[in-house]
């Protein structure tokens, strides 16, 4: 690949990432959330209660970031954190009724964001997009090790 093509690919990915995150922030603001918190809520909605360390791994973020997010969401009444019965060092995180409602609102925002993002792209290409993006992420991850 020559520099011009490499530059075009890397710039497109960089710009998409920046603009997507900015749009997420705009859409989450009315819900009282910050980027990253929506992923945590959606993960708990998908999986149910999780040990905080497992949640960190599932989200691909450092444990201190998850601790900060869970504390803020707990203070707002959206999460409950309790000691794990078999390991007092571990904390189980689960959605409260308020958190479940908020996760439903986040799902609606997520649909809006996806529809905005893929507007004008053929349905066939949209169907292939998750696999393509997953491959890109896996390619980058493979080089991190």
């Amino acid at each position: 690949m020559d520099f011009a093509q490499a530059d075009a690919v890397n710039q497109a990915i960089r710009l998409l990432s920046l603009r997507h995150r900015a749009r997420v922030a705009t859409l989450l603001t009315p819900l009282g959330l910050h980027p990253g918190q929506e992923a945590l809520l959606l993960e708990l909605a998908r999986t149910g209660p999780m040990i905080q360390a497992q949640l960190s791994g599932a989200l691909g973020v450092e444990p201190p970031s998850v601790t900060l997010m869970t504390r803020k969401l707990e203070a707002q009444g959206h999460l409950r954190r309790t000691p794990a019965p078999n390991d007092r060092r571990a904390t189980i995180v689960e959605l409260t009724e308020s958190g479940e409602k908020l996760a439903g609102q986040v799902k609606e925002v997520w649909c809006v964001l996806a529809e905005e993002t893929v507007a004008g792209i053929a349905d066939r290409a949209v169907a292939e997009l998750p696999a393509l993006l997953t491959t890109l992420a896996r390619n980058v991850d493979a080089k991190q090790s």
Side-chain angles (χ1 to χ4, degrees), residues 33 36-52 55 59 65-82 91-103:
L33 295 173
Q37 292 177 324
E38 84 287 359
L40 189 148
L41 290 167
L42 291 173
E43 185 64 26
L44 290 173
R46 263 191 294 276
T47 64
M50 288 181 88
I51 292 176
Q52 195 164 304
L55 187 55
L59 297 174
S65 296
V66 171
T67 299
L68 184 61
M69 284 191 283
T70 57
R71 284 183 182 160
K72 287 181 179 181
L73 291 168
E74 182 181 39
Q76 295 170 336
H78 303 307
L79 297 181
R80 182 174 17 266
R81 297 181 322 140
T82 55
T91 302
I92 297 175
V93 181
E94 64 183 315
L95 294 175
T96 62
E97 188 175 317
S98 169
E100 289 174 11
K101 181 180 175 189
L102 184 58

Side-chain angles (χ1 to χ4, degrees), residues 5-145:
Q5 186 177 18
D7 189 45
V9 167
N10 290 322
Q11 288 292 347
I13 292 169
R14 186 182 72 80
L15 290 174
L16 173 60
S17 176
L18 291 170
R19 290 176 180 159
H20 190 269
R21 186 167 174 86
R23 185 65 180 136
V24 166
T26 299
L27 291 171
L28 292 176
T29 296
L31 300 179
L33 295 173
H34 298 284
Q37 292 177 324
E38 84 287 359
L40 189 148
L41 290 167
L42 291 173
E43 185 64 26
L44 290 173
R46 263 191 294 276
T47 64
M50 288 181 88
I51 292 176
Q52 195 164 304
Q54 292 171 329
L55 187 55
S56 174
L59 297 174
V61 298
E62 295 296 320
S65 296
V66 171
T67 299
L68 184 61
M69 284 191 283
T70 57
R71 284 183 182 160
K72 287 181 179 181
L73 291 168
E74 182 181 39
Q76 295 170 336
H78 303 307
L79 297 181
R80 182 174 17 266
R81 297 181 322 140
T82 55
N86 299 336
D87 182 354
R88 289 295 203 195
R89 296 171 297 162
T91 302
I92 297 175
V93 181
E94 64 183 315
L95 294 175
T96 62
E97 188 175 317
S98 169
E100 289 174 11
K101 181 180 175 189
L102 184 58
Q105 294 172 308
V106 169
K107 288 177 183 180
E108 291 173 18
V109 165
W110 224 226
C111 289
V112 167
L113 178 61
E115 289 170 3
E116 290 177 358
T117 303
V118 301
I121 298 176
D123 289 346
R124 182 172 175 225
V126 171
E128 294 172 1
L129 196 54
L132 176 63
L133 294 172
T134 298
T135 298
L136 294 176
R138 195 171 29 247
N139 290 345
V140 173
D141 286 344
K143 302 302 180 194
Q144 302 275 344
S145 308

